Amino acid sequence: MRRCVNESLRCNRCDQTVVRFESVVWAEDVHYMTFRNGFPDEAKLRPSMVAEVGAAAYCCMCHWASVREVEEVGRSSPHSQWR
């Protein structure tokens, strides 16, 4: 997946850089306040991550996504606030 990653994503809503964590996904029960209070500190976010080889977890201060395959980020994407 690394070959297609945009290293300079930014959120249009919270105006923060999108960070990426490799080989993890977000836990199903992760809460919005986890990102509001923990972003961008990996140590604070780590308890909400689950190891998964080949996946990546992305987040800004207001949105998060677990990605298991390459996907385009555009206007019709569920992550359309990231540019």
Side-chain angles (χ1 to χ4, degrees):
M1 186 172 5
R2 187 96 182 134
R3 62 184 162 67
C4 297
V5 173
N6 181 340
E7 298 289 347
S8 61
L9 289 174
R10 187 161 196 88
C11 181
N12 289 331
R13 291 185 186 161
C14 67
D15 197 34
Q16 297 292 320
T17 301
V18 176
V19 294
R20 178 178 193 259
F21 303 99
E22 293 189 40
S23 299
V24 294
V25 293
W26 297 114
E28 292 294 324
D29 62 348
V30 69
H31 190 271
Y32 169 79
M33 291 307 292
T34 301
F35 302 97
R36 292 294 296 177
N37 295 329
F39 180 86
D41 187 344
E42 183 175 356
K44 289 181 180 178
L45 297 173
R46 181 67 54 190
S48 298
M49 297 178 192
V50 177
E52 186 173 317
V53 176
Y58 291 82
C59 72
C60 59
M61 193 176 275
C62 70
H63 184 72
W64 61 96
S66 297
V67 179
R68 292 172 173 88
E69 59 187 47
V70 176
E71 60 184 74
E72 184 175 342
V73 175
R75 291 182 192 265
S76 62
S77 164
H79 319 297
S80 61
Q81 71 272 17
W82 292 343
R83 298 272 185 242

